[in-house]
Amino acid sequence: LWRLGYCARLLKTNHFRTAASNTSFPAVWKLLAQHSGRIPGLFVVVKKNTFFTMPETVEDKTNPELYLPHPGVRGMTLLNREAFKRTVVVPALKVKKEIVHSVLKSLKQSVLQRPGLKRVVEHPEDEDSRFVILDPHKVPEFSLGESEQQVLKQLSVHPEVCRYHLELSYENFKSEEILRAVLPEGQEVTSGFSRVGHIAHLNLRDHQLPYRHLIGQVIMDKNPGVTCVVNKTNIIDRTYRNFEMEVLAGENNLVTKVKENNISYELDFSKVYWNPRLSTEHGRIVQLLRAGDVLFDVFAGIGPFAIPAAKRRCRVFANDLNPDSYAWLLHNCKLNKVDTKVKAFNMDGRDFLRGPVRDELSKELPLLKEEQRTAFHIVMNLPALAVEFLDVFRHLLVGEPCSPAGLPTVHCYGFSKHSNPGRDIQERAEAALGTSLAGRCSTFPVRNVAPNKEMLCLSFQIPADVLYKRPCP
């Protein structure tokens, strides 16, 4: 059993990774045989089952036309939905309408399961009968297996499979299938996007740009609720964290509403930074906070850390340099009824740390007692630059250090292309702070931004000898 599981993992790792390059099954069998040890029967069992774990291969070899639009759409740049129509021949059974449900239940493994296509259609010449459409991938030779024929015999259904002409249209194809049929053969098809309220946000490659308006229309057609599709046209601005974009399809309305972790936000997507892929990370940090804690959000954006923290009855100081982000932060605080619990600032991050943050820490930390449980958290979510701001903490305060438990905890985000991203971001933070963080910090992987580029969160308590400058006697 252990060898069986091991070989299955090898198959998944080594074969599926290269399925797109048509890795041959004999090569996979050879790999399994190499690792199957002295159990000769194991290789036979695994070889028999692996074929059915590759539906892509089965589809390509039996009846690829079922999932392909009309070949004439290749190279289309202006969407013409009528051009996608085609008729394909699929297997079908003639069944009396009274027993259709029983046949569907008994042959559920062989019946067509494709979304958007009817499995049961009327018979044009016999109103008492129906055609049950079968999956051409499961019935490739237009004949059922012996077990299926026995089932039909018990239901008094003639097992002869007929040929049914199935009409396909634009509505029957998935967005990936449409784009794969339109773009030049061999070119990468990207149908993924970020959803921000009613907006779909794409990052198209250069070879896709001639087809960008068609791609935008297809994305809007195939995703209910999307009424605007945009494409990023340059990299994120390092100062305000927004980017230029082009509307590819739909209405030119970039003011939208989103909901994250049960909290609603409103924003102008063209003027502020919002990434729906960070919702889990926002929730993770907020879960670290307790009622009465203090949160300093240095690069607050429209409030995805600040507002839920205020909802947890924390005291929040939130700052953003972008005046549009600051305006939407104030708006969202009112929207969520925490405007009296959040002090908002429109300052440079360094000025915010050296001003309101230092003032509050200088006032609060000397008053902390050992038994008090108030914690201070500083969130620095500007991954491209945040590590460079850490030098501000050098001797930010003057006086005798507070108790170790009261030292502020920093959550600093950064990008890394290093082979060991955790060590890389720690070393960069140590260089900015001028001290070692060995044994005093933790790194958390947030997400993969691009190939060989990771986003991480480095969390640590600011060492007392870094934060405090002791007065001269």
Side-chain angles (χ1 to χ4, degrees):
L1 288 175
W2 179 85
R3 290 183 185 276
L4 175 61
Y6 179 58
C7 288
R9 289 193 297 274
L10 282 170
L11 175 64
K12 181 178 180 181
T13 303
N14 294 283
H15 178 60
F16 280 85
R17 184 184 302 161
T18 56
S21 59
N22 289 329
T23 302
S24 63
F25 276 109
V28 180
W29 297 342
K30 186 175 181 180
L31 174 68
L32 289 171
Q34 178 182 348
H35 294 277
S36 60
R38 296 187 299 272
I39 309 179
L42 175 63
F43 173 60
V44 177
V45 172
V46 174
K47 183 178 77 169
K48 179 180 179 182
N49 291 335
T50 52
F51 181 79
F52 296 102
T53 62
M54 284 293 295
E56 296 87 352
T57 305
V58 178
E59 289 178 3
D60 290 343
K61 290 184 177 181
T62 55
N63 189 355
E65 294 180 351
L66 181 62
Y67 300 124
L68 290 179
H70 193 282
V73 302
R74 180 76 66 190
M76 179 188 294
T77 55
L78 183 63
L79 183 61
N80 176 9
R81 297 177 182 83
E82 292 296 315
F84 287 83
K85 287 184 177 180
R86 72 179 309 170
T87 301
V88 295
V89 179
V90 295
L93 281 173
K94 182 181 177 182
V95 178
K96 290 294 182 182
K97 64 181 182 180
E98 303 86 43
I99 60 170
V100 164
H101 180 73
S102 299
V103 172
L104 290 175
K105 187 175 181 180
S106 300
L107 296 183
K108 60 182 178 181
Q109 298 299 325
S110 301
V111 173
L112 184 66
Q113 301 288 345
R114 185 167 174 81
L117 290 179
K118 293 182 178 180
R119 296 180 295 171
V120 180
V121 296
E122 293 184 359
H123 195 291
E125 300 174 356
D126 185 356
E127 62 180 17
D128 295 327
S129 298
R130 298 289 185 268
F131 277 128
V132 173
I133 309 299
L134 303 177
D135 190 335
H137 304 143
K138 306 291 179 60
V139 190
E141 303 298 330
F142 287 82
S143 62
L144 291 168
E146 190 167 334
S147 59
E148 288 90 350
Q149 292 188 33
Q150 289 295 329
V151 170
L152 293 176
K153 187 176 180 180
Q154 294 174 7
L155 295 171
S156 299
V157 177
H158 195 281
E160 181 182 0
V161 177
C162 59
R163 296 172 179 267
Y164 181 82
H165 290 76
L166 181 66
E167 293 185 359
L168 301 176
S169 64
Y170 174 82
E171 287 72 24
N172 299 129
F173 298 110
K174 302 175 185 177
S175 56
E176 305 94 274
E177 294 165 346
I178 293 173
L179 299 181
R180 189 175 294 113
V182 169
L183 268 64
E185 289 188 76
Q187 289 194 357
E188 180 186 2
V189 174
T190 302
S191 59
F193 58 88
S194 295
R195 179 80 178 262
V196 183
H198 67 275
I199 302 169
H201 167 221
L202 306 176
N203 289 321
L204 297 181
R205 306 291 179 84
D206 289 342
H207 72 271
Q208 298 167 333
L209 293 179
Y211 308 90
R212 62 189 185 278
H213 293 292
L214 180 144
I215 294 173
Q217 189 63 53
V218 171
I219 294 297
M220 193 167 70
D221 288 346
K222 298 296 180 178
N223 294 273
V226 171
T227 59
C228 177
V229 182
V230 300
N231 179 47
K232 184 172 71 175
T233 58
N234 69 348
I235 61 174
I236 294 176
D237 182 273
R238 287 171 65 88
T239 304
Y240 289 160
R241 289 199 297 175
N242 54 13
F243 48 80
E244 294 180 8
M245 60 184 70
E246 177 186 11
V247 176
L248 304 181
E251 59 184 1
N252 190 5
N253 175 20
L254 298 177
V255 175
T256 187
K257 298 179 181 180
V258 295
K259 195 166 187 177
E260 179 182 274
N261 300 326
N262 295 318
I263 295 178
S264 297
Y265 302 89
E266 295 179 353
L267 62 128
D268 185 335
F269 190 55
S270 65
K271 296 181 179 179
V272 304
Y273 179 81
W274 179 265
N275 191 334
R277 295 185 177 95
L278 295 178
S279 62
T280 301
E281 180 61 15
H282 295 152
R284 184 184 74 88
I285 294 297
V286 172
Q287 287 297 319
L288 301 176
L289 308 176
R290 300 187 301 260
D293 287 351
V294 180
L295 174 68
F296 301 101
D297 195 349
V298 185
F299 312 105
I302 67 168
F305 287 113
I307 291 173
K311 289 275 191 182
R312 291 176 73 89
R313 293 182 291 137
C314 297
R315 287 189 292 134
V316 179
F317 297 77
N319 171 74
D320 202 280
L321 178 62
N322 183 351
D324 291 298
S325 293
Y326 171 72
W328 284 105
L329 171 64
L330 295 176
H331 174 81
N332 286 306
C333 285
K334 290 182 179 178
L335 180 67
N336 290 280
K337 301 178 181 179
V338 294
D339 47 308
T340 59
K341 301 176 183 177
V342 177
K343 292 184 179 181
F345 302 85
N346 181 207
M347 307 171 66
D348 177 78
R350 289 181 179 275
D351 296 335
F352 176 65
L353 289 168
R354 288 172 175 155
V357 175
R358 175 163 56 187
D359 294 345
E360 191 66 21
L361 292 177
S362 299
K363 181 176 67 175
E364 294 283 342
L365 292 182
L367 302 177
L368 280 183
K369 298 179 181 178
E370 290 292 337
E371 64 273 12
Q372 285 184 302
R373 295 169 57 85
T374 301
F376 296 85
H377 292 263
I378 303 174
V379 174
M380 305 175 69
N381 184 20
L382 184 65
L385 295 172
V387 174
E388 300 175 16
F389 284 72
L390 293 178
D391 64 322
V392 175
F393 294 117
R394 291 191 186 189
H395 297 167
L396 183 66
L397 304 181
V398 176
E400 291 297 321
C402 66
S403 66
L407 293 170
T409 298
V410 173
H411 308 282
C412 181
Y413 292 84
F415 294 133
S416 176
K417 294 184 178 180
H418 197 273
S419 58
N420 188 335
R423 183 177 65 188
D424 173 51
I425 194 171
Q426 179 179 331
E427 290 177 350
R428 286 156 50 201
E430 290 173 339
L433 293 168
T435 190
S436 172
L437 294 176
R440 297 190 287 184
C441 69
S442 62
T443 55
F444 185 84
V446 177
R447 70 185 188 98
N448 178 259
V449 179
N452 302 317
K453 184 178 181 180
E454 300 290 332
M455 178 179 175
L456 303 96
C457 176
L458 178 73
S459 296
F460 61 92
Q461 274 193 302
I462 308 174
D465 56 344
V466 172
L467 184 62
Y468 283 92
K469 178 182 180 180
R470 302 195 180 190
C472 295

